[in-house]
Amino acid sequence: TATSIAKDYGLSGEKLNSILHGLKIQWKNSDGQWVLYSKYCGKGYTRNRKGKPFQHNSGKVQTPNTTVWTEAGQRFIFEQLKRIGLLPSMDPDTQQLELAAQSNRTTAGKLV
């Protein structure tokens, strides 16, 4: 879900959805579900997950739909957010490993 992906960026699901809406990637339909604009439909970025039916006070039964992101969709979000300067947050251990790897790549072609 957007909430799960957002955690990697230190954001709320609501904030991530808002950013994706601002980038013209998705919009909210009348049922309150975020759906992709036609430009991004059919690319395998999302799928629809049906929730459990529930009954409103009025007696109307509704089955909510939730948009969930596939792995391809998560990579797509990463690329779109990277374009605007947002990168996933890393825990300190992962950051240290990444810094060491960058250092090794930088010095690999040089005589030290």
Side-chain angles (χ1 to χ4, degrees), residues 89-106:
S89 304
M90 291 190 229
D91 64 43
D93 293 336
T94 305
Q95 261 181 342
Q96 289 300 323
L97 290 172
E98 179 60 25
L99 289 172
Q102 284 175 358
S103 175
N104 288 340
R105 285 191 299 268
T106 302

Side-chain angles (χ1 to χ4, degrees), residues 9 19 23 77-88:
Y9 291 86
I19 290 169
L23 293 171
I77 289 174
F78 172 79
E79 292 300 327
Q80 297 305 307
L81 296 181
K82 185 168 88 171
R83 261 187 38 239
I84 62 169
L86 282 176
L87 294 173

Side-chain angles (χ1 to χ4, degrees), residues 2-20:
T3 301
S4 297
I5 296 168
K7 287 181 183 181
D8 292 340
Y9 291 86
L11 302 170
S12 67
E14 185 177 330
K15 181 66 177 173
L16 177 59
N17 282 326
S18 177
I19 290 169
L20 296 175

Side-chain angles (χ1 to χ4, degrees), residues 12-60:
S12 67
E14 185 177 330
K15 181 66 177 173
L16 177 59
N17 282 326
S18 177
I19 290 169
L20 296 175
H21 177 65
L23 293 171
K24 302 289 187 214
I25 293 170
Q26 65 180 11
W27 58 282
K28 203 172 207 178
N29 70 16
S30 61
D31 291 333
Q33 181 182 6
W34 288 103
V35 293
L36 299 179
Y37 280 104
S38 60
K39 177 179 180 178
Y40 303 107
C41 286
K43 297 188 181 223
Y45 294 152
T46 62
R47 62 183 178 81
N48 193 42
R49 183 172 68 195
K50 290 227 177 264
K52 293 182 180 180
F54 68 94
Q55 187 170 7
H56 289 276
N57 290 338
S58 65
K60 179 182 175 188

